Amino acid sequence: MSAKQDSGMVWGLGLGPGDPDLVTIKAASILKRAAVIAYPAPEEGDSFARMIAAPHLPGGQKEIAIRMNLGDGAFPKEDVYDRAAAAIMAESAAGHEVAVLCEGDPFFYGSFQYLYGRLAGRCPVRIVPGVSSLMACADAAGMPLTARNDVLSVIPAPLPEAEIARRLEDCEAAAIMKLGRHLGKVRRVLQAAGLIDRTRYVERATLGSEKVMALSEMHGESAPYFSMLLVHKRAEAWSNRSMGGKTSQGGAS
Ligand SMILES: C[S@@+](CC[C@H](N)C(=O)[O-])C[C@H]1O[C@@H](n2cnc3c(N)ncnc32)[C@H](O)[C@@H]1O
């Protein structure tokens, strides 16, 4: 696409799971030239998405930090997104290219969707797909997600216990995301289903602080937000052997 066609374009820019080397070539080139970047950020402190983008930014771009309480479980923050969408549309109307920084892929549980709903049809907006944490966690765990005709379910941990159990029954493999304070509940469901020994825990995949372990070695009722569980009913997607896979702490490279 030419620079003229990109005038005023708003990009939902997928940046991958954390390692800046997993930013795509297309996302990196948009980061180099965008006049404006916007990103979700906690009320105080650094934005994870901006940290991923940092090595690719030339400096001097205008920045719109979309600050909100990320930890209270309430979403979407209507007033925050209304204000951010208005600021982004004003930049777009002025002919500026805007890169909205998104961890992972913007259309896979990404908060960018709340902005997309406000922007689409009112200004030019496109997505740049990113490497999702789902794929990064499978690599970290050394555990292919699916094979043959397996059905893979992606299950948000905040769902009620009975709903998680029902969803697990209906698939061969599952990724359980957004663990946080729901880890204890999810462990109970997996225990009842006889799947504890077929589940791996991955935290902060691709970052220097990455951790990977069998769920049976993971204690406590809660986990950091950037973590997920990977389950396969055959233990290994490609065979009937018992679970292998990698175990590491702080070993991302
Ligand atoms: C709101 S979703 C965003 C997903 C993101 N758009 C993607 O494509 O990966 C946040 C959840 O993604 C998972 N996640 C994101 N990054 C991760 C990482 N580096 N390691 C482990 N899990 C991660 C966690 O389960 C977290 O609770």
Side-chain angles (χ1 to χ4, degrees):
M1 213 180 262
S2 74
K4 192 167 186 325
Q5 279 173 305
D6 284 344
S7 166
M9 180 64 77
V10 178
W11 298 99
L13 210 59
L15 296 175
D19 178 352
D21 282 355
L22 288 172
V23 170
T24 63
I25 293 169
K26 179 161 184 168
S29 84
I30 291 169
L31 287 172
K32 278 197 182 66
R33 64 171 197 253
V36 183
I37 60 169
Y39 45 84
E43 284 176 313
E44 285 176 16
D46 295 331
S47 154
F48 184 39
R50 196 194 181 291
M51 284 166 61
I52 303 171
H56 302 282
L57 291 169
Q61 66 284 334
K62 180 171 176 179
E63 303 201 13
I64 301 172
I66 308 170
R67 293 207 176 266
M68 63 188 101
N69 181 349
L70 296 170
D72 65 1
F75 63 93
K77 324 272 182 192
E78 305 287 0
D79 53 335
V80 176
Y81 285 112
D82 283 348
R83 281 197 301 275
I88 289 167
M89 276 190 288
E91 295 293 343
S92 168
H96 300 149
E97 222 176 331
V98 184
V100 183
L101 314 184
C102 309
E103 188 265 335
D105 181 87
F107 274 179
F108 184 69
Y109 293 110
S111 59
F112 177 73
Q113 293 170 52
Y114 305 122
L115 282 177
Y116 187 79
R118 288 164 168 82
L119 300 173
R122 303 176 73 188
C123 65
V125 54
R126 292 290 307 272
I127 297 298
V128 177
V131 175
S132 174
S133 59
L134 188 56
M135 280 63 207
C137 286
D139 166 56
M143 183 176 170
L145 288 170
T146 52
R148 308 178 193 177
N149 290 327
D150 288 343
V151 171
L152 169 71
S153 287
V154 178
I155 305 175
L159 288 178
E161 208 160 320
E163 185 64 15
I164 297 174
R166 185 176 77 76
R167 300 280 173 173
L168 276 171
E169 257 176 44
D170 275 355
C171 62
E172 282 77 36
I176 306 177
M177 300 179 64
K178 306 185 187 180
L179 288 176
R181 65 193 164 83
H182 303 285
L183 179 66
K185 172 184 72 182
V186 173
R187 187 190 286 110
R188 278 197 301 280
V189 177
L190 290 163
Q191 186 85 55
L195 291 172
I196 286 279
D197 292 334
R198 296 176 178 216
T199 305
R200 297 188 76 76
Y201 168 82
V202 182
E203 182 180 310
R204 299 191 177 91
T206 78
L207 297 167
S209 51
E210 175 182 292
K211 284 187 191 167
V212 182
M213 62 186 87
L215 179 59
S216 54
E217 292 164 16
M218 169 81 187
H219 305 293
E221 290 293 296
S222 64
Y225 181 68
F226 287 107
S227 64
M228 78 170 73
L229 297 175
L230 297 178
V231 192
H232 202 293
K233 289 185 178 171
R234 290 194 302 276
E236 288 174 330
W238 64 87
S239 75
N240 291 319
R241 284 185 290 147
S242 61
M243 190 161 70
K246 290 188 278 181
T247 300
S248 72
Q249 295 226 353
S253 59

